[in-house]
Amino acid sequence: MYFRRMLALIRILFMKKNLKYTLPALALIAALAVGFSWKAPSDDQEKVVMLLVHDALAGVHYQPKPIDDAFSQEVMAFFLESLDAEKRFLQQSDIDQMRAYQNQLDDALKNADLTFFNLSQTLWQKRFAQSQELYQEILAQPLDFTSQRTFETDSEKRGYAADDAGMRAYWTDYLTYRVLMRLYDRSMAADSAGQAKFILGDPGFDEEEKKAREKEMEIHDEWFSSMSDMERSDWFGLYMNAYTGVLDPHTQYFPPRQQENFEIEMTGQLEGIGASLQQDGEFTSVASIVTGSACWRQGELEVGDKIIKVAQGSAEPEDIVGMSTNKVVTKVRGKKGTEVRLTVRKKDGTEKVIPIIRDIVEIEATFARSARLGADGKTGYIRLPKFYVDFYDDNNRNCADDVKKEIEILKAQGMERLIFDLRGNGGGSLPAAVDIAGLFFDKGPVVQVKTSGQRVRSYDDRAGGAVWDGPLLVMVNEGTASASEIVAAALQDYDKAIIVGTRQTFGKGTVQNMLDLDRAAGPFYGDKPLGALKLTIQKYYRITGGTTQLQGVESDVVLPHPYQEIPYGERELDYPLAVDYVEPAVKFEPKISKPYLKAAQKRIADNPEFARISEYARWLKSQQDQTLVPLNYVAYFDREAAAEVEAEAFDDLLKSSGELPVAYAFPGQESTLDSGKVTEYTRWFKGLSTDIYLGEAFRIVGEMPR
């Protein structure tokens, strides 16, 4: 009873719009709750999580569903799809056993009953072990490439295996397909190197086929090893996300390990040593080192070093040979200021203990960066990959501050027009989006937000004046989502920018907030961590009253792109929230026609390079529709060779025939960068100079009146 009462209070707090303000309030409630005589319903973390998730979904979600038998059936279908989407492990009898519970999952959530989840784990582990034996047996012997069988690559067109024989038949066909792909690639590589191509029945073919099987065995060994390292908490997260997933695509439970990764993604920062690690057989080796990071400053860790042991400060070292990279990463990461001691094997075979004091590692590719374009350098370019913000520390980097800084740098170099690139930017912080949009116009509404049962609220830019009020072009594509769409929509509605890119952006018009389940459970429940729940609590709307939900932001100038014939975006996800509208926050005068936009669209239509992209999009769709693959060696090779010839016509598809001059944001900027970042910028500039889309954006912004 007291547990439910506490969660009812949490519901009220969840109406807050910003995580930064929600979390301290939750801490206060947790402190007050010490006075309750509440006791956790079980020492089992999973049961506590189920109760917390139930109450959040039922009482806090923007559009809750009745948690009843219909809900249970949806959860069951979602879970089975998530558990074995490719139908590689479970048999029809397993599915039948689990579907016997299809009207009971609502009660399981309400009562924190783990019976069904435990059954699913038992069935999964049994079939996983069987599948592991199967692939090892099948790949140990030569495969038959003379049959006329085919393999269906689209799992939605296949049923589950009826029995053990059906599962063996699936794995045999699947691995035959995989080895055929590898043989074809090896054959093409041999041909390009001027070596004799090998075909079925030729001398040497058996050896090539054996090498292909051995490589496939190696890949599957690593894959199964990685899956074996999945902990029960990971599988439980998959189960909980079947409940959250049927409410909307963005409500999600994060087990503790995934919660940490999410926070790293949001902030662009992590606490650790600054080295990227990779699986290297039974070892974990150093793949790269972040310039300026803790291990870079320490100086002894090198790319290629194999980590053998990890010790926390002066504690006893732990042998990590044979451990998955994910697990090793969790042991190497740690709080800023703490020490980790790595025992590594150097390339010369010697072993060395390397002590490193952990620090903040900034993932540079996450942050805003700028350049000057054109022979005169008067066109500024800013790339923002993500709307990053640190909700817990105001002193850390914020994307709005960084974009403002880049604008000021470019203005100091005489910038006359600006391209703001939001392609592939999946969003992030709502307040940061409001701040960034406000950089380009004077005070006023940026976005409208609606919480269920409350009046629509306008989020306004309150800072007077614009940091940049000259010609502005915003680049988007179908990966531009959420906070990026808020910015693009506001600038389009205020007529402060033209939008150039795909026909529409992703179409995400919902707002999520994070509930820290440790805080929600309170200090009286000590078995932690519990993870976090990302919950849809609001929908947002354009200041015109329209919505980006499902519809996205439509471009003023549409550029062809390779995937335009393949459905993509929020509208293609399961259980998206519906389109609706609110009253406008601002009344606008009809927009004045812009002749240069029509001229740009005609130029694009007449451009043979863009016509080739549209042709490729149609070809790609036709290839995607061909899901039935022959397992006969000759038929497979003929099919792939024909596709290869067709694909050659589309080489360097997205590279412009002319190069766009690209320079640093200010003269001498390279002198402020270390050698690693100079190399990174050089590579980035090279990509920008031949980017066909950026080249057209440069032409369009140059035609905009000043």
Side-chain angles (χ1 to χ4, degrees):
M1 174 181 177
Y2 294 109
F3 182 60
R4 301 292 191 189
R5 186 184 304 168
M6 180 188 71
L7 287 173
L9 291 172
I10 289 173
R11 290 195 196 107
I12 298 171
L13 290 169
F14 231 112
M15 298 309 174
K16 299 281 187 181
K17 310 301 188 298
N18 192 324
L19 176 65
K20 190 186 299 182
Y21 304 115
T22 303
L23 290 183
L26 289 174
L28 174 62
I29 284 297
L32 293 174
V34 175
F36 292 166
S37 59
W38 178 82
K39 185 178 184 301
S42 167
D43 290 335
D44 194 329
Q45 289 177 302
E46 294 165 350
K47 292 185 177 182
V48 175
V49 169
M50 290 180 80
L51 292 174
L52 289 166
V53 168
H54 169 270
D55 279 48
L57 297 184
V60 186
H61 190 274
Y62 177 83
Q63 191 172 296
K65 291 183 176 181
I67 299 181
D68 54 16
D69 287 356
F71 175 83
S72 179
Q73 292 167 19
E74 291 180 332
V75 172
M76 175 63 75
F78 198 103
F79 178 65
L80 294 179
E81 172 69 18
S82 303
L83 189 62
D84 188 14
E86 292 299 316
K87 301 174 182 171
R88 289 180 182 149
F89 302 99
L90 298 174
Q91 297 183 16
Q92 187 61 51
S93 60
D94 305 322
I95 301 300
D96 293 340
Q97 273 188 266
M98 286 190 278
R99 280 185 177 151
Y101 289 82
Q102 69 176 354
N103 291 328
Q104 300 174 32
L105 298 190
D106 54 327
D107 299 317
L109 185 65
K110 294 172 186 175
N111 300 318
D113 184 346
L114 290 162
T115 303
F116 170 76
F117 176 63
N118 290 333
L119 171 66
S120 74
Q121 284 293 282
T122 299
L123 293 172
W124 171 265
Q125 295 300 333
K126 174 186 175 182
R127 298 308 184 189
F128 179 80
Q130 288 181 344
S131 297
Q132 192 166 27
E133 291 179 6
L134 275 175
Y135 87 77
Q136 291 171 347
E137 288 177 16
I138 293 167
L139 289 174
Q141 301 295 328
L143 295 167
D144 177 15
F145 302 111
T146 62
S147 77
Q148 299 303 314
R149 298 194 316 278
T150 57
F151 177 69
E152 178 55 72
T153 58
D154 186 348
S155 62
E156 292 186 1
K157 298 177 182 178
R158 283 190 275 107
Y160 290 95
D163 48 28
D164 289 349
M167 187 57 74
R168 175 174 288 276
Y170 165 79
W171 275 95
T172 300
D173 287 352
Y174 170 66
L175 292 172
T176 301
Y177 165 58
R178 294 278 303 182
V179 173
L180 272 172
M181 285 197 297
R182 197 162 298 285
L183 283 169
Y184 182 80
D185 290 343
R186 292 173 70 86
S187 177
M188 292 302 101
D191 186 44
S192 63
Q195 302 168 5
K197 295 173 67 174
F198 51 88
I199 59 174
L200 187 64
D202 280 4
F205 174 82
D206 290 348
E207 182 62 26
E208 292 293 343
E209 192 266 355
K210 181 182 178 183
K211 289 178 182 178
R213 279 188 290 109
E214 287 173 345
K215 184 62 179 177
E216 203 57 49
M217 180 82 83
E218 179 185 327
I219 289 172
H220 274 73
D221 285 345
E222 291 181 3
W223 181 40
F224 272 72
S225 175
S226 178
M227 283 195 291
S228 297
D229 284 332
M230 286 183 66
E231 299 173 353
R232 181 178 166 97
S233 63
D234 297 317
W235 292 110
F236 180 70
L238 190 77
Y239 177 49
M240 283 296 94
N241 283 321
Y243 286 101
T244 65
V246 300
L247 270 80
D248 77 281
H250 307 291
T251 293
Q252 183 178 2
Y253 168 67
F254 291 93
R257 186 164 62 178
Q258 294 178 23
Q259 179 187 4
E260 180 184 11
N261 292 335
F262 176 78
E263 290 172 358
I264 290 168
E265 183 182 350
M266 284 295 296
T267 63
Q269 299 176 326
L270 61 89
E271 292 178 298
I273 65 172
S276 296
L277 307 180
Q278 65 182 9
Q279 200 76 40
D280 187 1
E282 62 178 342
F283 294 97
T284 294
S285 64
V286 178
S288 63
I289 290 173
V290 177
T291 303
S293 66
C295 67
W296 180 84
R297 293 194 302 271
Q298 199 274 350
E300 294 182 312
L301 192 68
E302 299 175 299
V303 172
D305 287 351
K306 295 179 178 178
I307 303 175
I308 300 171
K309 298 177 182 178
V310 178
Q312 308 303 326
S314 58
E316 188 70 19
E318 180 181 1
D319 189 332
I320 56 90
V321 175
M323 191 177 290
S324 72
T325 301
N326 284 337
K327 284 191 175 180
V328 175
V329 166
T330 62
K331 297 178 183 301
V332 173
R333 280 183 192 165
K335 292 294 183 184
K336 175 182 177 181
T338 60
E339 182 185 59
V340 62
R341 291 176 173 266
L342 305 181
T343 302
V344 304
R345 182 174 296 164
K346 293 289 187 177
K347 293 176 184 177
D348 61 5
T350 61
E351 293 187 7
K352 187 173 187 176
V353 178
I354 302 176
I356 303 171
I357 304 299
R358 298 177 176 105
D359 201 351
I360 297 294
V361 180
E362 292 192 336
I363 306 169
E364 194 66 31
T366 300
F367 301 131
R369 57 172 65 173
S370 63
R372 289 179 295 130
L373 307 179
D376 62 0
K378 298 297 184 181
T379 299
Y381 172 81
I382 297 176
R383 168 79 176 131
L384 183 64
K386 193 169 191 65
F387 283 76
Y388 50 88
V389 65
D390 194 327
F391 290 113
Y392 306 99
D393 188 347
D394 286 336
N395 295 318
N396 286 339
R397 293 184 70 166
N398 179 294
C399 59
D401 295 335
D402 286 356
V403 170
K404 180 178 179 181
K405 177 183 174 182
E406 299 299 335
I407 293 173
E408 297 288 9
I409 289 172
L410 292 168
K411 283 170 63 177
Q413 302 306 313
M415 176 173 67
E416 296 178 355
R417 58 196 74 86
L418 174 62
I419 296 173
F420 189 28
D421 192 347
L422 295 177
R423 289 177 294 175
N425 186 321
S429 166
L430 174 62
V434 173
D435 291 342
I436 286 179
L439 297 175
F440 301 104
F441 63 88
D442 203 352
K443 298 178 183 179
V446 173
V447 63
Q448 300 187 86
V449 176
K450 181 181 179 183
T451 304
S452 182
Q454 296 188 18
R455 296 178 62 183
V456 177
R457 174 187 171 188
S458 172
Y459 276 67
D460 296 2
D461 168 49
R462 302 184 185 281
V467 179
W468 176 253
D469 59 359
L472 174 64
L473 183 150
V474 177
M475 297 186 71
V476 300
N477 60 15
E478 286 195 343
T480 302
S482 192
S484 300
E485 293 176 290
I486 290 174
V487 172
L491 297 179
Q492 187 180 56
D493 291 341
Y494 276 116
D495 205 15
K496 293 296 182 181
I498 63 166
I499 313 300
V500 174
T502 52
R503 186 167 302 281
Q504 66 180 76
T505 54
F506 186 84
K508 179 180 179 290
T510 57
V511 182
Q512 286 70 43
N513 216 331
M514 291 291 286
L515 171 61
D516 187 323
L517 297 185
D518 289 352
R519 293 175 182 265
F524 34 71
Y525 180 72
D527 192 8
K528 299 170 181 174
L530 298 172
L533 182 66
K534 178 162 67 85
L535 196 67
T536 296
I537 59 167
Q538 298 165 322
K539 290 179 76 173
Y540 69 79
Y541 302 84
R542 300 175 73 141
I543 52 179
T544 59
T547 181
T548 61
Q549 179 64 10
L550 306 187
Q551 300 174 352
V553 178
E554 295 185 356
S555 293
D556 298 305
V557 177
V558 178
L559 297 172
H561 73 105
Y563 308 110
Q564 65 190 19
E565 302 295 333
I566 298 173
Y568 183 74
E570 181 90 357
R571 59 199 179 279
E572 299 303 319
L573 300 179
D574 293 327
Y575 301 102
L577 298 188
V579 171
D580 62 345
Y581 304 90
V582 298
E583 290 297 317
V586 181
K587 291 185 178 180
F588 294 100
E589 297 295 328
K591 292 182 181 179
I592 300 173
S593 175
K594 300 177 177 65
Y596 66 89
L597 295 183
K598 291 183 179 179
Q601 201 69 71
K602 185 177 186 307
R603 179 172 63 241
I604 292 164
D606 294 340
N607 186 324
E609 292 180 327
F610 284 122
R612 200 160 66 103
I613 293 174
S614 293
E615 183 184 353
Y616 175 75
R618 292 187 291 272
W619 178 82
L620 192 64
K621 179 64 167 64
S622 70
Q623 293 295 301
Q624 185 191 53
D625 292 341
Q626 297 176 27
T627 60
L628 205 59
V629 179
L631 298 180
N632 177 278
Y633 186 92
V634 174
Y636 180 84
F637 266 57
D638 287 347
R639 176 183 186 271
E640 293 302 301
E644 193 96 11
V645 171
E646 293 173 1
E648 285 176 1
F650 305 110
D651 284 349
D652 295 328
L653 187 71
L654 302 181
K655 286 188 176 181
S656 175
S657 56
E659 288 202 2
L660 177 66
V662 183
Y664 284 96
F666 58 89
Q669 183 182 358
E670 60 269 38
S671 65
T672 68
L673 305 172
D674 57 64
S675 58
K677 288 186 178 178
V678 168
T679 300
E680 184 181 339
Y681 265 77
T682 301
R683 188 182 303 115
W684 183 51
F685 286 173
K686 179 63 177 175
L688 294 180
S689 69
T690 58
D691 182 339
I692 188 171
Y693 297 121
L694 182 57
E696 182 56 38
F698 175 78
R699 286 187 285 272
I700 295 171
V701 77
E703 296 166 348
M704 293 176 66
R706 288 163 37 178

